[in-house]
């Protein structure tokens, strides 16, 4: 970690301990999202880290963003994910938007005044994203969007939505990407999902009923929306990996601290080799995940092919988070299963990391396809 990253980490630690940690148990119970926490992260410059300074961002890179997300996730996976998904929306606008689109939408996102959301999934199009059915019919001056998007992180609290909709025939080549603002007539929100974890982060249906979107809100060319979504997910998979690393680190921390103080059979339970081996394996999972996430971010920052390693980082780090949080509950035993200690929440927050931004089965598809390409090109 370089000096700047160390400084960012320390700044975040202070903010999270003061502003996030005290609310986490309560807000997990009541499913409350606090916009003032998100804005606080924005005030410190953590909501638009990778966007150029002329659009209100911090002009940093994905290695820096990964360090920040790991630190936030030690205290709250839901807030880390809100920052991560909003960063993905900003990256889409920054990479594929016109100068006018960047000027219009980026500053409020980079400063944390507003949140961004990414609308790809539908009831019949989860892993098979290219089969999406939402349509964008060309009309005079723009498009009419009809359809329902599902499981949208920050649905209802976000102001800017990137929406993938079909302008052409079947398959990936018929998909285009649009920017749709909250408040646009025809855009509404469906039910808020009742979830196992990530309870502080609202997940909703986003519904489009004859929703007119002007032509100037389309991102790049018609038919290139699927590529926009996939390129965004290549980065999103690095940042979700970084979130998983933070959760893993915190779960290990809780397990080690507890095992050093909990006495059974006249000694701290840490002294039992069975538990030492478990914690050694947990530490190994943590450090190997961190290295893979750092490597994926470094490759991306250097403009080198990063898709395969990004999928590996997401797969490894989120599986590690699931395993380590489960083992942390086991080490704490009876109290680990109660809400008196945070590890049961960590275990619930880990599960969906293996599902979002491409299930860990989809990550294997991406890795295998890249392997095939590499071998065929030799
Ligand atoms: N970058 C740029 N273009 C890409 C790309 C990438 N990473 N991956 C694929 N493409 C292009 C391909 O080159 C191809 O274009 P050409 O025909 O011109 O070459 C086109 O896109 C179609 O690609 P595929 O044939 O590979 O598409 P596929 O239908 O076989 O799907 C898949 C591949 C990897 C399974 C993909 O559908 C996928 O990633 N599915 C998972 C979806 C997903 O991750 N959803 C997450 C939802 S968002 C979320 O979870 C956020 C949140 O709330 C936290």
């Amino acid at each position: 970690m370089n000096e700047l990253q160390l400084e960012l980490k320390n700044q975040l630690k202070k903010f999270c301990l003061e502003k996030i940690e005290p609310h986490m148990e309560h807000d997990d119970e009541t499913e409350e999202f606090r916009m003032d926490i998100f804005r606080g992260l924005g005030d410190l410059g953590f909501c638009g880290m990778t966007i150029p300074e002329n659009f209100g961002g911090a002009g940093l890179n994905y290695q820096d963003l990964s360090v920040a997300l790991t630190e936030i996730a030690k205290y709250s996976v839901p807030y880390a994910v809100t920052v991560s998904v909003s960063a993905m929306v900003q990256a889409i606008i920054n990479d594929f938007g016109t100068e006018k689109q960047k000027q219009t939408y980026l500053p409020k996102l980079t400063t944390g005044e507003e949140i961004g959301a990414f609308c790809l999934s539908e009831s019949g199009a989860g892993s098979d994203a290219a089969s999406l059915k939402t349509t964008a019919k060309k009309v005079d001056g723009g498009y009419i969007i009809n359809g329902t998007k599902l499981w949208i992180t920050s649905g209802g609290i976000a102001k800017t939505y990137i929406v993938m909709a079909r302008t052409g025939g079947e398959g990936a080549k018929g998909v285009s990407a649009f920017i749709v603002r909250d408040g646009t007539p025809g855009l509404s929100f469906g039910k808020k999902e009742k979830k196992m974890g990530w309870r502080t982060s609202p997940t909703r249906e986003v519904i489009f009923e004859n929703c007119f979107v002007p032509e100037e809100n389309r991102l790049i060319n018609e038919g290139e929306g699927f590529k926009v979504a996939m390129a965004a997910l290549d980065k999103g998979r690095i940042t979700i990996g970084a979130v998983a690393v933070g959760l893993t680190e915190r779960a290990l921390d809780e397990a080690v601290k507890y095992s050093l103080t909990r006495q059974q059979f006249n000694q701290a339970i840490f002294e039992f080799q069975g538990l030492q081996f478990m914690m050694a394996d947990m530490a190994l999972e943590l450090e190997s995940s961190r290295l893979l996430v750092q490597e994926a971010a470094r490759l991306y920052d250097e403009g080198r092919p990063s898709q395969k390693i990004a999928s590996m980082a997401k797969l490894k780090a989120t599986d590690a988070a699931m395993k380590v949080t489960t083992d942390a509950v086991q080490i704490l035993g009876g109290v680990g299963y109660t809400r008196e200690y945070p590890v049961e929440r960590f275990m619930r927050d880990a599960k969906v990391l293996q599902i979002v931004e491409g299930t860990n089965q989809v990550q294997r598809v991406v890795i295998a396809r890249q392997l095939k390409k590499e071998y065929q090109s030799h």
Side-chain angles (χ1 to χ4, degrees), residues 227-245:
K227 288 185 186 180
V228 168
M230 290 297 117
L233 285 167
D234 285 344
K235 295 188 269 289
R237 288 165 186 167
I238 300 173
T239 56
I240 287 293
V243 170
V245 170

Side-chain angles (χ1 to χ4, degrees), residues 115-356:
I115 298 172
F118 179 75
C119 300
L120 176 66
S121 305
E122 299 176 3
S123 61
S127 291
D128 185 7
S131 70
L132 64 86
K133 294 270 186 290
T134 295
T135 54
K137 191 168 175 285
K138 184 86 190 75
V139 291
D140 199 20
Y143 296 83
I144 303 274
I145 303 185
N146 275 293
T148 299
K149 296 290 178 178
L150 223 56
W151 311 300
I152 304 306
T153 300
S154 305
I157 57 168
K159 295 289 180 209
T160 297
Y161 294 80
I162 302 290
V163 182
M164 262 50 74
R166 194 163 294 288
T167 48
E170 283 185 7
K173 286 192 168 56
V175 177
S176 300
F178 299 89
I179 304 169
V180 186
R181 290 282 293 169
D182 181 24
T184 306
L187 166 65
S188 63
F189 304 104
K191 72 171 175 2
K192 184 174 161 190
E193 304 294 347
K194 288 194 163 294
K195 307 194 297 287
M196 172 196 276
W198 290 22
R199 288 164 57 87
T200 309
S201 154
T203 307
R204 280 186 193 276
E205 284 177 347
V206 179
I207 302 163
F208 300 90
E209 288 166 309
N210 294 323
C211 177
F212 175 79
V213 174
E215 186 146 5
E216 64 187 24
N217 284 32
R218 195 190 67 229
L219 282 153
I220 61 168
N221 301 318
E222 268 193 21
E224 292 190 335
F226 193 73
K227 288 185 186 180
V228 168
M230 290 297 117
L233 285 167
D234 285 344
K235 295 188 269 289
R237 288 165 186 167
I238 300 173
T239 56
I240 287 293
V243 170
V245 170
L247 180 59
T248 303
E249 190 170 336
R250 176 71 188 272
L252 174 64
D253 183 60
E254 295 289 338
V256 174
K257 281 199 295 211
Y258 183 84
S259 67
L260 284 169
T261 54
R262 170 76 173 161
Q263 298 279 319
Q264 288 290 274
F265 304 103
N266 300 319
Q267 59 180 338
I269 60 171
F270 185 90
E271 300 308 328
F272 292 103
Q273 198 178 49
L275 262 62
Q276 287 179 0
F277 280 13
M278 264 174 95
M279 285 181 273
D281 286 345
M282 289 158 82
L284 173 64
E285 288 294 307
L286 169 64
E287 295 311 329
S288 48
S289 303
R290 196 197 312 272
L291 285 171
L292 213 37
V293 169
Q294 276 172 0
E295 178 64 358
R298 186 183 67 82
L299 289 173
Y300 179 78
D301 289 338
E302 291 176 2
R304 295 165 63 191
S306 58
Q307 194 193 19
K308 184 180 76 179
I309 305 290
S311 280
M312 287 180 175
K314 193 271 179 185
L315 167 55
K316 175 70 199 169
T318 61
D319 278 356
M322 191 70 249
K323 177 163 182 0
V324 171
T325 54
T326 307
D327 286 349
V329 171
Q330 189 69 23
I331 288 168
L332 269 74
V335 294
Y337 195 66
T338 71
R339 298 208 173 169
E340 228 172 282
Y341 283 79
V343 288
E344 64 82 31
R345 169 165 56 90
F346 299 161
M347 188 176 162
R348 289 187 285 106
D349 282 345
K351 184 60 216 173
V352 78
L353 289 167
Q354 296 176 302
I355 298 170
V356 290

